[in-house]
Amino acid sequence: LRITPVYMLILWFYTTVIPVTMSGPFFNMSREIQTCKENWFYNLLYVQTVFPNHPERSVCYGVSWYLADDMIFFWATPFLLAIFLWNKIAGVLFPLLLTTGSITAAWIVAWKWRLRVPTFDGSQYNSFYYNPPWMRAPAYLLGCVMGMAYYEWKRRKLTVPKEYRLYIQGFVGGFAAILLGSTVYGFRGGN
């Protein structure tokens, strides 16, 4: 509720002030601005990533996809918490099931559309793979599961025995190092 008025002010600025200041050979945002004028209500409702854009239509304020996804995840949280409060096991398994479904959907979409990470090639990568909330859900859902686990940990006042703390810290640190090392980009022979 607090972010929507500011967000609408930014969209207004984007659609009315920016066109007045547009100039230059590579500064043409007329398609995006026209899309904002025609489809601003998608942004107002935070559902612009649920309904992918058509190839002939541009996006309205491209960086707003994150606001839309985050708002959709925020709206889903009470339902996940209600399931957790109703049944602890179902409350943990349901987000894990959704995570599995999201990862599977991402694989299927990438394979079906033969998507790759584009730079500016005009493919539908952003509309069908990068922006939709069902593709972005695993990180949020796993965060919810970790929050539920932390809640139960604190509620039951559990502690880790001192003799296991070093092993757990070593495992977490090693796992983090492996993840960090596996996400390094750019070692391709100087390209």
Side-chain angles (χ1 to χ4, degrees):
L1 188 61
R2 293 182 298 172
I3 198 168
T4 303
V6 175
Y7 181 38
M8 290 302 110
L9 182 67
I10 290 170
L11 283 180
W12 169 81
F13 184 84
Y14 193 72
T15 57
T16 57
V17 176
I18 297 268
V20 176
T21 63
M22 274 194 315
S23 67
F26 298 109
F27 192 69
N28 185 4
M29 297 173 45
S30 56
R31 281 185 56 196
E32 292 179 36
I33 291 169
Q34 187 59 34
T35 300
C36 283
K37 289 179 179 178
E38 294 171 0
N39 301 306
W40 59 270
F41 52 90
Y42 285 125
N43 290 65
L44 176 66
L45 298 174
Y46 296 97
V47 295
Q48 68 265 30
T49 58
V50 175
F51 304 104
N53 296 312
H54 299 292
E56 68 274 359
R57 191 174 68 184
S58 183
V59 296
C60 173
Y61 195 55
V63 297
S64 66
W65 69 267
Y66 184 80
L67 286 174
D69 285 359
D70 204 36
M71 186 63 77
I72 289 169
F73 298 148
F74 176 74
W75 291 334
T77 302
F79 299 107
L80 295 174
L81 290 177
I83 293 170
F84 178 72
L85 293 174
W86 169 68
N87 184 326
K88 304 280 191 253
I89 295 172
V92 171
L93 290 179
F94 186 65
L96 293 177
L97 179 69
L98 290 176
T99 298
T100 305
S102 175
I103 292 169
T104 304
W107 284 343
I108 290 170
V109 167
W111 179 74
K112 180 181 177 187
W113 294 97
R114 301 197 186 281
L115 295 176
R116 67 209 179 285
V117 179
T119 310
F120 299 104
D121 66 352
S123 73
Q124 292 298 311
Y125 175 80
N126 284 341
S127 296
F128 292 113
Y129 191 83
Y130 191 77
N131 296 348
W134 49 89
M135 301 294 186
R136 290 288 179 168
Y140 187 82
L141 293 168
L142 292 176
C144 288
V145 169
M146 297 313 286
M148 294 170 192
Y150 182 72
Y151 169 78
E152 280 298 308
W153 182 274
K154 287 295 187 180
R155 188 180 68 81
R156 294 181 184 185
K157 297 179 179 163
L158 299 173
T159 59
V160 176
K162 287 185 179 183
E163 60 267 11
Y164 295 117
R165 287 182 187 168
L166 186 60
Y167 295 116
I168 292 172
Q169 290 172 348
F171 174 76
V172 170
F175 186 69
I178 290 170
L179 283 179
L180 183 63
S182 66
T183 58
V184 174
Y185 299 101
F187 295 116
R188 298 193 182 228
N191 291 341

